[in-house]
Amino acid sequence: MVSDAGIVESITLKNFMCHSLLGPFTFGSNVNFVVGNNGSGKSAVLTALIVSLGGNAQATNRGLCLKGFVKEGESSADVSITLRNRGRDAYKPDVYGQAITVDLRITREGLRTYKLRSKSGQVISSKKEELVSILDNFNIQVNNPVSVLTQEMSKYFLHTKGEGDKYKFFMKATQLEQMREDFVYIKTTRHITEDKVGQHGESLKDLKRKYLEKEDRYKNLASLDEMQTKLEELQKQMAWALVTEMEKELEPLKEKLQGDRHSTEKFDEKVDDWKNKVEEAEKKYKEIQEQLEGITQQVQELQPQCAELKAEAERRNSLLKSSEVTVHRCKTNLRDLERDKVQLSAKINDLKLSISQTSGSESQAKAERMQQIQMELENLTQKISTLGQQIEQYLNACSCGKDDKAKTEQDHRALQRAIDANKRNLQTMESSRSNKLRRFGEHMPALLNAIQEAHRRGQFKQKPRGPLGYLINLKDPELALAMEVCLKNQLQAFTCDNHDDEKVLQGIMGKVLPAGRRPTIITSNFLPRVHDTRKRAVRHPEYPSVLQALEIEDPVVANCLIDQRGIESILLIKNRTEARKVMQSGNPPQNCTQAFSKDGDQIFPNRTYTAEQTRANYLSRDIEEDISHLHREMEKQKAQAEGIQQRMKEIEQGIKQNTVLERSTLKELKTTEDKATKLRLELTDLQNMEEPQSEDLRPLEEDLQEIVSKISSKTAKYEEARAHMAELKLSYEKAEHDYKQHKERINTIAEDADSIKEELSKADQDVMKCRRNKKHYDDKRSTHLSSIQKLEATLASKEKELRTSISKATEICPDRQEVRRTARSLDSEISRLKAKINTQQEQQGDREEIVRQYHEALENYKNMAQQMKNLNGFIKSLDGVMNHRLQVYADLRRFLSARCKYYFNSMLAQRGYTGSMTFDHKNETLSITVQPGQGNEFDLSDMRSLSGGERSFSTVCFILSLWYITEAPFRCLDEFDVYMDMVNRRISMDMMMKVASSQLYRQFIFLTPQSMSSIPESELICIHQLKDPDRGLNSQQSQNRNES
């Protein structure tokens, strides 16, 4: 026979106790073993079974409250148990089907919720009362130790030595204890009922007397039916007249609400539109910012190459200068040789003239021709030298022109950058008309907002202060320039209390501010009071110190400027002459380190520095004057730019002219050198002609020939040096050109970066504008929705009042009436009719009150009389029933005691033990004696004298005997064999297997750390082997081994 109802089909645990996941375990219908080492989850399975089937936390002996079963770090624990629901004892099979699933969830707060599901998974109920009904139907008793015997309860029962405790265990296991408690409760209730009957007997006499008095007044009362009927009709009309008027009041409210809801769509469209614009603007801003970062990275990558090109150009220029010196030296030597040649030639010609006087006319003509050639050569040589100098001058003029052009272009770019910077400053000043903070940078408001948000989220230990210039005020506006020159970068600096806050602030600046120079961060402990500077501060009767000239509300800002700049020891003297007189007279004021004039000049006792800055940018109060000054300065810069462009045109024109002249002169030089070469050849031919000469001319001519040879050698060297110089010049010009081109590329990229910065600033303004517009429409939409909510609340209130009015009217008159009269006219007529009724009632008494009192007295009397009758009948029936049930209870107790004795002796006999059970129901004791082995029954010993294994075996026999006499769909034992030796464990296991095989309609669940490998294989036995606990993991999984 297979059990059909109440057995456990499966169980699953999640985040229960110390296990993330156990199961699902699918149990067999008869014998189930859950095997595993300590910590593997055996007791967790049993605890989950008890808790999920209605047991309390104390019954598990695993915790004092339910929240202790939730795994550490998790918010809840879940247990799912499926119970079989088949056969004649099935519970609502048409609703749940063949299985009932109980889902339990325990929260971290200790709350327990149930979901009862059908076979298909549909949630049928979440009430515990339904679960109690199911448990009662299946006779499941998780708090009964015979049904579920926990490890702690088993240990307690095993070690208990009191006969009273064994008797209580027997009574609880057989539910006789519960029956006895019920009988005591019934007996107490009977006594209470008897007391109430006695009290009601006296009250019944008083009620009868009052009833007879009211009946007399009721019979003597005159009728006022007609007026009362008319009054009721008017009241019905009055009720429905109020309903009609309230319905008319609701119509305009509904129309207005419908119109407002239609308008909400327009607001939603506006909000979505500006939301998209904000996203587009932010996307554009991010793209421009990434582009700017890319350009900055590109400039940084080009800088090393630019330095290399500059160094190469300087090296080649040095080589060119050295070559120019060599050319000049060769040219000087050549000029000296030419002069010596001319002098020696003149001397030879003079000698030849004297000789030629004796020669013929042919010699004289030859001499004249040679003299003519010599003169022409001298003229040509001088012309060549002049042309060379002219070419060099033209080349130098071109080079100087190119240098001037490059310098002028550089000046133009610098001026253009200054103009662009002034444009940005102008935009900043114009935007700072409404927000002074923008004078310290376009992104400064966003940076302060980000700092405020981070401080609100608790990222800072102390909120940073800055920019410092924004947190100070001048007492005298004329000292603005002096103050800016004095404080310099401190005006834009921020101060932090500690290095952790500094790191957080750096991260915020990296996100909010564009790449490039960022404000300085000063880290110093924040103090609640300003430093005491009386000992080191300067004091002058006429002139203030920087500290005295400032209004600083925040002590942190004042202390930062004192620590970083020493503002307590710096004087401010408007007049520059007076400042020099005070500081440089040989006796400067005590503790004074320096002074500043209103023009920004910095005066020390031994030196003076003039300020490069001419106007205040941050601390000036007259923003309009600053804007006008910037406009004027930009006009001047534009005029300068036009002048520079004109100058560049003139330089380019000069370079072109000098280039043309250099080319034409070079062509003339080549023609002249060719002519000179021809004349030298002709002179050489004439000189080589034989003619009578005096012996005195030969040494001179040899010297002349040597000079000519040297001239030729020097000329070759000179030409070679000039060619080398030309090559070096070309090389230098190329290197210089590469350097300037690379530098120009960097400047161009920098100029592009300026334009991108402007685009970034404009994009930031667009983002802020879109955000403002979005916020504007968000606020309008919120206001509109709030108005709708108020209108809906008003309408709901009115409708509630209308429903209340309709409900009241329905109570007065169930059928609605069409009323044409107003509520005011009806109320007036009702008042007149009530006055008339009251007049008659004063004469006769209140008819309604008399009738009410009569019916009330009659009803009270009847009720009390009926209650008395019922209670007397209940007491009589209860006495009969209790007498019968007490007799049955005694018989059942005797019968169960006898059966328990029989099965106990049978179990002991299986191992050859003898024993006895003695029940003393009067004293509520149970005495158990056992004799191991075969012996005389008079030798029986108390269980306390047995060994641990024998006592455990005897206890198992006692539990098995209780199993035979009690009913439950399943039995659970937790580590039942932990205190047994191997022999007793084997015998106990055989006995339990025998009991299980004889009770196929029940389910048995045994939890044990022992190996079950010796258990014979059977289709009725299912073994679940749990994994050993892994302390490094939070989840446990089980492996099921089904024995078939």
Side-chain angles (χ1 to χ4, degrees):
M1 176 179 179
V2 180
S3 56
D4 293 323
I7 70 171
V8 180
E9 290 188 346
S10 66
I11 183 169
T12 303
L13 286 66
K14 182 179 181 183
N15 297 328
F16 191 82
M17 295 178 70
C18 60
H19 305 280
S20 297
L21 180 64
L22 279 178
F25 299 103
T26 302
F27 292 110
S29 60
N30 191 227
V31 179
N32 296 271
F33 286 96
V34 179
V35 182
N37 293 326
N38 290 335
S40 60
K42 304 188 302 300
S43 296
V45 174
L46 184 61
T47 302
L49 179 67
I50 295 172
V51 173
S52 60
L53 294 181
N56 52 34
Q58 289 83 355
T60 65
N61 294 309
R62 291 289 175 172
L64 299 177
C65 55
L66 291 174
K67 64 182 180 182
F69 296 136
V70 181
K71 186 177 183 292
E72 186 68 26
E74 302 295 338
S75 60
S76 63
D78 296 291
V79 179
S80 179
I81 294 182
T82 301
L83 302 177
R84 182 170 295 175
N85 191 40
R86 295 203 301 247
R88 62 184 180 183
D89 294 331
Y91 180 80
K92 297 181 182 179
D94 54 335
V95 177
Y96 286 95
Q98 294 187 353
I100 299 176
T101 300
V102 180
D103 289 339
L104 168 67
R105 168 161 291 186
I106 304 173
T107 65
R108 175 59 64 184
E109 292 75 21
L111 299 178
R112 172 164 53 182
T113 58
Y114 288 99
K115 288 184 180 179
L116 303 176
R117 303 179 185 272
S118 64
K119 174 72 173 178
S120 61
Q122 180 182 0
V123 177
I124 304 301
S125 176
S126 59
K127 297 180 180 179
K128 188 174 181 181
E129 291 78 5
E130 180 73 4
L131 176 62
V132 172
S133 298
I134 293 172
L135 298 178
D136 290 341
N137 183 79
F138 294 151
N139 196 25
I140 295 176
Q141 308 162 30
V142 292
N143 291 327
N144 190 333
V146 173
S147 292
V148 179
L149 185 61
T150 64
Q151 184 178 349
E152 293 298 324
M153 180 60 71
S154 175
K155 185 188 302 181
Y156 169 76
F157 181 68
L158 182 64
H159 293 88
T160 183
K161 299 179 181 179
E163 296 177 349
D165 292 335
K166 291 184 176 66
Y167 185 83
K168 289 180 181 178
F169 188 84
F170 167 76
M171 295 291 286
K172 188 174 183 179
T174 56
Q175 291 186 285
L176 292 173
E177 179 70 24
Q178 182 65 40
M179 292 176 65
R180 184 172 61 180
E181 292 176 356
D182 292 342
F183 291 154
V184 173
Y185 174 74
I186 293 171
K187 188 175 181 180
T188 304
T189 304
R190 180 186 177 285
H191 291 310
I192 295 172
T193 305
E194 285 182 341
D195 294 338
K196 287 185 178 180
V197 168
Q199 295 172 3
H200 290 173
E202 297 296 328
S203 301
L204 185 61
K205 296 177 181 179
D206 294 336
L207 289 175
K208 185 174 182 180
R209 180 177 53 78
K210 291 180 181 179
Y211 158 66
L212 294 175
E213 291 176 358
K214 300 300 181 184
E215 187 179 25
D216 291 339
R217 293 188 63 187
Y218 176 74
K219 291 178 179 179
N220 297 327
L221 184 63
S223 175
L224 297 174
D225 291 340
E226 291 184 4
M227 285 190 292
Q228 195 66 38
T229 302
K230 185 175 182 181
L231 178 62
E232 291 177 357
E233 184 64 28
L234 289 175
Q235 288 175 339
K236 292 178 181 179
Q237 293 182 10
M238 178 67 178
W240 288 109
L242 292 173
V243 170
T244 303
E245 290 181 357
M246 293 184 69
E247 289 176 344
K248 291 180 179 179
E249 291 178 1
L250 286 176
E251 290 300 325
L253 289 176
K254 290 181 179 178
E255 292 177 359
K256 187 175 187 308
L257 180 60
Q258 185 177 2
D260 289 349
R261 285 174 175 168
H262 180 70
S263 301
T264 304
E265 298 176 358
K266 296 181 181 179
F267 283 105
D268 291 340
E269 291 177 359
K270 282 287 185 181
V271 170
D272 293 339
D273 184 28
W274 281 108
K275 181 180 180 181
N276 294 332
K277 289 183 179 179
V278 167
E279 292 175 353
E280 292 176 359
E282 289 177 345
K283 182 180 179 182
K284 182 179 179 182
Y285 177 85
K286 186 176 181 181
E287 291 175 352
I288 296 175
Q289 190 175 26
E290 292 175 353
Q291 186 179 0
L292 181 61
E293 291 176 356
I295 290 177
T296 304
Q297 181 67 25
Q298 188 177 359
V299 170
Q300 292 176 353
E301 293 174 355
L302 290 176
Q303 286 292 351
Q305 187 179 0
C306 182
E308 293 177 0
L309 291 174
K310 183 179 180 181
E312 180 65 19
E314 291 176 351
R315 185 183 68 80
R316 295 187 181 184
N317 185 35
S318 177
L319 294 175
L320 177 62
K321 295 297 183 184
S322 177
S323 178
E324 287 178 349
V325 171
T326 303
V327 170
H328 180 71
R329 186 169 56 249
C330 291
K331 185 177 179 181
T332 302
N333 293 335
L334 188 61
R335 186 170 59 249
D336 293 340
L337 289 173
E338 288 288 346
R339 186 175 60 252
D340 292 343
K341 176 186 173 184
V342 170
Q343 292 175 357
L344 187 58
S345 296
K347 186 176 180 179
I348 292 173
N349 288 334
D350 291 341
L351 291 174
K352 284 183 178 182
L353 181 62
S354 61
I355 295 172
S356 64
Q357 290 178 355
T358 57
S359 301
S361 59
E362 183 178 352
S363 297
Q364 184 177 358
K366 178 181 176 182
E368 290 176 354
R369 178 56 184 163
M370 290 176 63
Q371 185 176 2
Q372 183 182 359
I373 291 173
Q374 289 287 350
M375 293 177 63
E376 290 181 2
L377 282 173
E378 290 176 1
N379 293 333
L380 290 176
T381 301
Q382 186 174 3
K383 185 177 180 181
I384 288 170
S385 177
T386 302
L387 291 175
Q389 292 177 358
Q390 289 179 355
I391 291 172
E392 188 172 354
Q393 289 175 357
Y394 293 146
L395 290 174
N396 289 334
C398 289
S399 177
C400 292
K402 291 178 180 179
D403 292 339
D404 290 343
K405 180 182 178 183
K407 184 178 180 181
T408 305
E409 288 176 347
Q410 186 176 1
D411 293 342
H412 184 263
R413 286 192 296 270
L415 184 60
Q416 188 62 42
R417 286 194 293 271
I419 292 173
D420 296 337
N422 283 335
K423 286 181 179 179
R424 290 193 296 273
N425 291 337
L426 182 61
Q427 291 178 355
T428 301
M429 288 186 177
E430 287 177 347
S431 63
S432 66
R433 285 171 171 166
S434 58
N435 188 353
K436 180 184 174 183
L437 188 60
R438 289 188 177 273
R439 301 189 74 172
F440 296 86
E442 280 295 318
H443 300 277
M444 197 58 68
L447 176 60
L448 289 191
N449 290 336
I451 292 173
Q452 180 66 29
E453 179 64 20
H455 178 62
R456 185 184 65 79
R457 292 197 300 266
Q459 295 180 352
F460 291 111
K461 298 178 182 177
Q462 291 281 348
K463 181 182 177 182
R465 310 296 202 272
L468 299 183
Y470 182 69
L471 302 175
I472 62 175
N473 291 308
L474 288 174
K475 295 179 180 179
D476 188 352
E478 291 185 9
L479 297 174
L481 178 58
M483 197 66 70
E484 286 195 13
V485 175
C486 174
L487 298 180
K488 297 180 181 177
N489 294 334
Q490 273 88 2
L491 292 173
Q492 290 183 299
F494 284 73
T495 179
C496 291
D497 176 71
N498 52 78
H499 292 289
D500 292 336
D501 289 352
E502 178 186 357
K503 293 179 181 178
V504 175
L505 181 58
Q506 286 177 346
I508 294 174
M509 286 183 176
K511 295 178 181 178
V512 176
L513 300 181
R517 189 175 181 181
R518 295 175 180 170
T520 304
I521 300 177
I522 302 168
T523 303
S524 178
N525 291 335
F526 289 178
L527 299 176
R529 293 184 299 276
V530 179
H531 294 325
D532 186 2
T533 60
R534 288 176 292 182
K535 293 184 180 180
R536 63 177 186 271
V538 61
R539 291 179 179 83
H540 197 279
E542 297 180 24
Y543 309 112
S545 66
V546 174
L547 179 60
Q548 293 169 339
L550 290 174
E551 292 179 353
I552 308 175
E553 296 180 359
D554 193 344
V556 173
V557 177
N559 291 338
C560 181
L561 294 178
I562 290 172
D563 294 337
Q564 299 296 320
R565 194 65 181 91
I567 59 175
E568 76 281 5
S569 59
I570 302 174
L571 280 178
L572 295 175
I573 306 173
K574 293 183 180 180
N575 187 276
R576 181 187 309 168
T577 304
E578 185 65 21
R580 290 181 177 176
K581 182 178 179 182
V582 171
M583 294 298 297
Q584 299 177 352
S585 62
N587 187 23
Q590 186 179 2
N591 295 330
C592 182
T593 59
Q594 54 188 297
F596 284 88
S597 69
K598 69 175 184 179
D599 297 324
D601 295 335
Q602 188 177 14
I603 299 99
F604 290 92
N606 56 355
R607 61 191 184 280
T608 302
Y609 296 104
T610 303
E612 297 178 357
Q613 188 174 342
T614 58
R615 289 187 66 83
N617 296 323
Y618 304 105
L619 302 178
S620 174
R621 294 185 180 178
D622 191 353
I623 185 66
E624 298 299 332
E625 174 60 26
D626 291 342
I627 292 175
S628 301
H629 174 75
L630 267 181
H631 279 297
R632 292 193 296 271
E633 186 174 351
M634 289 175 65
E635 292 296 331
K636 292 180 182 178
Q637 289 174 339
K638 289 180 181 178
Q640 292 178 3
E642 292 176 357
I644 289 175
Q645 289 179 347
Q646 183 63 32
R647 171 66 179 159
M648 288 175 61
K649 290 181 181 179
E650 293 175 357
I651 291 174
E652 289 176 353
Q653 187 175 0
I655 291 173
K656 289 181 180 179
Q657 291 178 355
N658 287 321
T659 302
V660 172
L661 291 174
E662 186 265 339
R663 289 176 180 174
S664 62
T665 306
L666 184 63
K667 185 177 181 180
E668 185 178 357
L669 175 63
K670 186 177 181 182
T671 303
T672 305
E673 287 177 345
D674 293 338
K675 188 175 180 181
T677 300
K678 291 179 180 180
L679 289 176
R680 287 191 188 96
L681 292 174
E682 184 179 357
L683 179 61
T684 301
D685 293 336
L686 291 174
Q687 289 174 350
N688 291 332
M689 292 178 61
E690 294 183 358
E691 58 181 0
Q693 293 183 357
S694 172
E695 291 297 329
D696 296 333
L697 294 177
R698 190 172 300 279
L700 295 177
E701 288 178 349
E702 290 177 356
D703 292 341
L704 179 62
Q705 188 64 32
E706 183 178 357
I707 291 173
V708 170
S709 176
K710 287 182 178 181
I711 288 174
S712 177
S713 175
K714 291 292 183 182
T715 301
K717 289 182 179 180
Y718 172 68
E719 293 298 332
E720 183 179 354
R722 282 189 62 189
H724 182 60
M725 183 183 72
E727 291 177 359
L728 290 176
K729 188 171 184 180
L730 290 174
S731 175
Y732 164 70
E733 289 176 351
K734 183 178 182 301
E736 183 70 13
H737 178 266
D738 292 342
Y739 164 67
K740 290 180 179 179
Q741 187 177 14
H742 197 79
K743 190 174 182 181
E744 180 67 23
R745 182 182 176 188
I746 294 177
N747 293 335
T748 303
I749 294 173
E751 291 173 359
D752 295 339
D754 292 338
S755 63
I756 292 174
K757 287 179 181 177
E758 292 180 1
E759 292 180 8
L760 186 65
S761 176
K762 185 177 179 183
D764 182 49
Q765 293 176 1
D766 291 341
V767 170
M768 297 300 293
K769 178 181 177 182
C770 292
R771 286 177 178 172
R772 284 195 301 270
N773 289 331
K774 179 180 178 295
K775 185 177 183 300
H776 168 71
Y777 283 106
D778 279 335
D779 294 342
K780 289 188 69 176
R781 181 176 177 273
S782 299
T783 303
H784 179 71
L785 292 177
S786 177
S787 174
I788 290 177
Q789 289 177 354
K790 291 179 181 178
L791 188 60
E792 287 176 342
T794 303
L795 183 61
S797 177
K798 293 285 186 183
E799 288 178 343
K800 184 177 180 181
E801 292 177 3
L802 176 60
R803 288 193 297 271
T804 303
S805 181
I806 292 174
S807 178
K808 291 180 179 179
T810 304
E811 291 177 1
I812 297 172
C813 178
D815 297 329
R816 179 161 184 164
Q817 296 185 2
E818 294 295 332
V819 183
R820 297 184 179 180
R821 296 175 61 183
T822 62
R824 181 178 296 180
S825 65
L826 290 170
D827 184 59
S828 177
E829 186 174 352
I830 289 171
S831 299
R832 289 194 301 269
L833 188 56
K834 282 183 177 180
K836 189 174 180 180
I837 293 172
N838 289 334
T839 302
Q840 293 188 13
Q841 286 179 344
E842 288 175 1
Q843 296 173 359
Q844 302 176 1
D846 187 357
R847 179 180 181 278
E848 290 184 358
E849 182 65 21
I850 293 172
V851 172
R852 186 188 65 75
Q853 291 178 0
Y854 164 72
H855 288 294
E856 183 178 343
L858 177 61
E859 186 69 23
N860 290 338
Y861 174 72
K862 289 181 177 180
N863 290 339
M864 183 60 71
Q866 185 64 37
Q867 287 180 10
M868 289 289 291
K869 182 179 179 182
N870 292 339
L871 288 175
N872 287 323
F874 172 72
I875 293 172
K876 184 177 179 181
S877 300
L878 188 61
D879 288 339
V881 171
M882 281 297 295
N883 292 331
H884 175 70
R885 290 199 175 187
L886 285 173
Q887 183 62 40
V888 173
Y889 168 74
D891 295 340
L892 178 62
R893 183 176 61 184
R894 185 173 61 256
F895 172 70
L896 292 176
S897 301
R899 291 187 65 196
C900 188
K901 291 179 182 180
Y902 169 74
Y903 287 118
F904 180 70
N905 290 328
S906 299
M907 297 296 173
L908 290 177
Q910 292 185 21
R911 194 183 175 188
Y913 285 17
T914 59
S916 69
M917 263 187 185
T918 304
F919 288 91
D920 186 351
H921 298 299
K922 182 178 181 180
N923 296 320
E924 297 184 352
T925 60
L926 171 58
S927 174
I928 301 177
T929 55
V930 177
Q931 173 61 47
Q934 298 294 330
N936 195 323
E937 62 176 332
F938 296 103
D939 297 333
L940 296 177
S941 303
D942 186 82
M943 289 179 64
R944 288 173 290 185
S945 63
L946 301 177
S947 66
E950 292 170 343
R951 187 165 57 248
S952 298
F953 172 74
S954 301
T955 302
V956 171
C957 292
F958 180 43
I959 293 174
L960 292 178
S961 64
L962 291 176
W963 279 6
Y964 274 109
I965 66 174
T966 57
E967 297 292 335
F970 58 82
R971 320 278 193 188
C972 294
L973 283 181
D974 185 9
E975 298 192 8
F976 59 91
D977 55 354
V978 71
Y979 296 106
M980 295 183 186
D981 53 26
M982 291 301 295
V983 175
N984 287 311
R985 182 181 295 114
R986 180 182 56 78
I987 295 174
S988 298
M989 183 61 64
D990 292 341
M991 292 168 60
M992 286 188 287
M993 291 294 100
K994 184 176 180 181
V995 172
S997 63
S998 66
Q999 298 181 10
L1000 297 178
Y1001 52 90
R1002 289 196 182 98
Q1003 184 183 46
F1004 298 86
I1005 300 174
F1006 303 108
L1007 292 86
T1008 177
Q1010 306 299 329
S1011 173
M1012 292 294 108
S1013 59
S1014 61
I1015 297 297
E1017 294 185 358
S1018 172
E1019 61 181 6
L1020 299 177
I1021 299 176
C1022 180
I1023 299 177
H1024 303 271
Q1025 179 67 48
L1026 301 184
K1027 285 185 176 180
D1028 290 339
D1030 188 352
R1031 302 302 180 185
L1033 299 175
N1034 292 328
S1035 62
Q1036 292 285 353
Q1037 296 181 350
S1038 65
Q1039 293 181 339
N1040 300 339
R1041 179 168 63 88
N1042 295 325
E1043 300 289 342
S1044 58

